[in-house]
DNA sequence: GCGGTAATTTTGATTAGTCAAAATGTGGAA
DNA sequence: TTCCACATTTTGACTAATCAAAATTACCGC
C-alpha cells in the first residue's frame, strides 16, 4: 500500500511539529497541535492517528500525543525531501520567487516520482538547503544537523550570516527579501530592546531595520 | 468547486475516447468504453457520469452514452494540455526518454498550477505537439486540426514524414525509437500485404522494417 | 482530596468514489 | 414478432476522510 496524500501530510506534520521545538528524539506531539497544523477537527486527527498507529508508522499515547516510528520517520523525511527539492527547483530552474513556491510544492510533493526528484536533485547539484534555508534530507532521510542561533540569541555587534528563515508566509518572505535579509546575507545585531519588544539590525550598505522579536526569532544565523 | 483528480480523469477519458474514432462534434461515447478506459466497473462509470451531468460537464443519454458539454470540453482540454506540456518538459528539460513520461504526466497533470504550466510552455517555446506528436491544446483549449494519414492509407513509394505515434505502450515506443520511426523521421512505404497482414517500410539509411497493420495504423504521417 | 477547565476522545453522520451482483433495457437474429 | 445475448443501470455495501457535538479524561489550584 503506497501512502495516500493524506497519510503523507499527517506524517510530515508530525515530523515538522516534533522537530519544531527542536528536542530529543522522541518528543510526543499533542493531538491539538497536530490537528491545527493540518487544519482539521481534533477528533479527525485522533481517528487518523489511530489508524497510522495500526500501520506501525507512529506511536500513539492516548491523551499524551503522537511520535513517528522509524518507518514513519523515513517516510516523513522523504516527503520533506521532495517538498524542499521541488521548492529549490522552482526557484532556480523555473524562475519562481521564494515566496511563491510553497503552495505549489505542497501539491507536487505527493505525486512526483523518486526518479524525477533525483533528476531535479542532480540538476541542482545535490543541494543541502532549500530557498528558505530549510535543510533537505538526503535520499536516506538523513539531515545535516544545523546549529541554531537566532537573531534573539546571537552575539551583539558581531558579523553573522543569515542561514534560514522559518516562516512560509508570503508577505513575511517579501518583507525579508526587500530588506536584504535572505539566507546568505551578512548582518549584525546592534541592539535588542525588551521594552519595545524589538531588535535592530544593521545589514547591507549599513542600512538599519528594526523588527519585532517574534519576527527576529524566525531568522536563524551562523 | 475545483474538480477532483477523478473528475478530471473522467473528462479526459471522454475527450480522448470521443475523438479517438475522430468524428463529428458530438459522438456519444458508450459507457462500457469509458469504464474500461478508466479501469473501473461499468456501474461506477454510470454513477459518476450522472453526477457529471448534474454539474453540467457532460450530456448523458441512458443506454446510449456520454459526451462533453462546452464546459466539460474546456476542462478536459486543459487536462490534456497539462499532460502534454508536462511530457514534453520531461523529455526536453529533464532528460526523460519518450517512453518514460506518460505515467509521471498522468499524476502531475492534476496538481500542477496554471502558472507552472505556463512557465514550462514558455520555456519550451509554445510547442504545438508533445514527444509523441500528440497535439497540445493552447491556453484556450483549441487544438490545431491535424490531417490524418497513417502508414495504412498514405501513398506507396512516396517520401512522408512521421508526425505522430498513437500508443503509450512502453515497449511499442521503444521499438519505434530503435527503428528510427519517431515523429520527424522521413520514410517511405514500400509495400502493403493483406495476406501477411503487414507493411514494409524503408527508413533511415534505406533500412527496411516490416510491421503489422495494427502497428502501422498507429503511425501517422504527412 | 475536590472541582473546574481545557484538551482529548467518542459517537453518529456525511461525502466521494468504488465494487459485485442482481435487475433491466436494447437491438439484432430468426 | 419474438427472443436472446449483451450492454447498461440499479442496488446494497464498503473504505477513506472528514465534521459537529457529546462524553470523557487529565491536570492544576486550592
Ligand atoms: Mn515550503
Ligand atoms: Mn522551504
Ligand atoms: Mn501520455
Ligand atoms: Mn503523449
Amino acid at each position: 500500500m503506497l501512502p495516500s496524500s493524506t497519510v503523507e501530510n499527517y506524517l510530515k506534520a508530525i515530523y515538522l511539529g516534533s522537530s519544531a521545538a527542536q528536542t530529543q528524539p522522541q518528543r510526543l506531539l499533542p493531538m491539538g497541535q497536530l490537528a491545527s497544523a493540518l487544519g482539521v477537527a481534533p477528533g479527525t486527527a485522533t481517528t487518523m492517528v489511530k489508524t497510522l498507529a495500526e500501520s506501525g508508522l507512529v506511536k500513539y499515547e492516548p491523551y499524551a500525543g503522537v511520535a513517528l516510528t522509524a518507518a514513519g520517520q523515513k517516510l516523513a523525511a522523504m516527503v520533506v525531501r521532495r517538498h524542499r527539492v521541488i521548492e529549490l527547483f522552482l526557484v532556480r530552474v523555473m524562475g519562481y520567487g521564494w515566496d511563491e513556491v510553497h503552495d505549489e510544492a505542497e501539491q507536487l510533493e505527493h505525486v512526483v516520482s523518486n526518479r524525477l526528484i533525483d533528476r531535479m536533485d542532480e540538476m541542482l547539484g545535490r543541494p543541502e538547503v532549500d530557498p528558505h534555508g530549510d535543510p533537505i534530507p538526503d535520499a536516506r532521510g538523513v539531515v545535516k544537523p544545523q546549529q541554531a542561533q537566532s537573531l534573539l540569541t546571537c552575539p551583539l555587534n558581531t558579523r553573522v550570516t543569515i542561514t534560514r528563515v522559518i516562516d512560509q508566509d508570503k508577505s513575511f518572505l517579501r518583507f525579508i527579501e526587500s530588506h536584504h535579509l535572505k539566507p546568505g546575507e551578512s548582518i549584525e545585531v546592534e541592539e535588542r530592546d525588551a521594552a519595545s519588544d524589538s531588535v535592530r539590525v544593521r545589514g547591507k550598505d549599513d542600512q538599519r531595520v528594526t523588527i519585532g522579536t517574534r519576527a527576529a526569532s524566525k531568522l536563524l544565523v551562523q
Side-chain angles (χ1 to χ4, degrees), chain A residues 27-102:
Chain A
R27 213 172 60 81
L28 287 180
L29 181 71
M31 301 306 282
Q33 254 168 266
L34 177 60
S36 78
L38 290 164
V40 301
T44 304
T46 298
T47 307
M48 187 65 199
V49 162
K50 283 201 280 195
T51 69
L52 293 177
E54 298 279 290
S55 321
L57 295 170
V58 305
K59 182 164 62 74
Y60 168 54
E61 302 260 18
Y63 293 100
V66 62
L68 296 171
T69 61
Q73 181 87 214
K74 181 72 194 298
L75 240 47
M78 287 301 128
V79 180
V80 170
R81 170 174 166 75
R82 292 196 294 264
H83 183 102
R84 292 177 181 169
V85 168
I86 290 164
E87 285 191 342
L88 192 62
F89 181 86
L90 292 175
V91 168
R92 292 261 200 84
V93 178
M94 304 306 293
Y96 272 57
W98 81 328
D99 58 315
E100 304 172 314
V101 295
H102 187 74

Side-chain angles (χ1 to χ4, degrees), chain A residues 12 16 83-84 87 98 101-103 105-106 109 130-132 134 167-168 173:
Chain A
K12 187 176 64 157
L16 297 175
H83 183 102
R84 292 177 181 169
E87 285 191 342
W98 81 328
V101 295
H102 187 74
D103 295 345
E106 206 56 53
E109 64 187 4
D130 82 358
H132 313 101
D134 301 319
D167 192 328
Q168 307 295 150
L173 292 175

Side-chain angles (χ1 to χ4, degrees), chain A residues 128-129 133 135-138 141-148 164 220 222:
Chain A
E128 293 187 349
V129 297
I136 300 176
D138 68 24
V142 180
V143 295
K144 271 237 181 94
Q146 305 184 301
Q147 82 292 28
R164 187 173 177 186
L220 303 192
Q222 168 148 68

Side-chain angles (χ1 to χ4, degrees), chain A residues 18-209:
Chain A
S18 309
S19 63
Q22 78 300 338
T23 348
Q24 286 67 318
Q26 286 313 42
R27 213 172 60 81
L28 287 180
L29 181 71
M31 301 306 282
Q33 254 168 266
L34 177 60
S36 78
L38 290 164
V40 301
T44 304
T46 298
T47 307
M48 187 65 199
V49 162
K50 283 201 280 195
T51 69
L52 293 177
E54 298 279 290
S55 321
L57 295 170
V58 305
K59 182 164 62 74
Y60 168 54
E61 302 260 18
Y63 293 100
V66 62
L68 296 171
T69 61
Q73 181 87 214
K74 181 72 194 298
L75 240 47
M78 287 301 128
V79 180
V80 170
R81 170 174 166 75
R82 292 196 294 264
H83 183 102
R84 292 177 181 169
V85 168
I86 290 164
E87 285 191 342
L88 192 62
F89 181 86
L90 292 175
V91 168
R92 292 261 200 84
V93 178
M94 304 306 293
Y96 272 57
W98 81 328
D99 58 315
E100 304 172 314
V101 295
H102 187 74
D103 295 345
E104 190 94 44
E106 206 56 53
Q107 296 305 122
L108 288 170
E109 64 187 4
H110 305 297
V111 302
V112 155
S113 70
N114 289 334
R115 173 92 187 269
L116 183 52
I117 284 296
D118 193 62
R119 284 290 163 102
M120 291 181 181
D121 193 45
E122 182 184 21
M123 189 174 297
L124 295 167
R126 312 285 173 200
E128 293 187 349
V129 297
D130 82 358
H132 313 101
D134 301 319
I136 300 176
D138 68 24
R140 304 184 331 273
V142 180
V143 295
K144 271 237 181 94
Q146 305 184 301
Q147 82 292 28
Q149 288 271 77
S150 79
L151 288 194
L152 291 185
T153 59
C154 71
L156 289 177
N157 299 306
T158 309
R159 263 1 254 187
V160 292
T161 301
I162 295 181
T163 56
R164 187 173 177 186
V165 178
I166 312 188
D167 192 328
Q168 307 295 150
D169 181 70
K170 281 188 203 309
S171 56
F172 180 69
L173 292 175
R174 279 195 286 262
F175 170 84
I176 293 300
E177 182 163 33
S178 68
H179 289 82
H180 306 290
L181 297 175
K182 283 177 73 169
E185 300 282 1
S186 176
I187 58 131
E188 212 165 292
V189 176
E190 286 189 335
E191 187 187 17
R192 294 194 188 96
D193 183 30
S196 70
D197 184 45
S198 70
V199 173
R200 194 172 71 245
V201 171
R202 184 149 57 87
K204 199 170 189 169
D205 305 327
D206 288 348
Q207 296 245 325
R208 311 296 147 95
V209 204

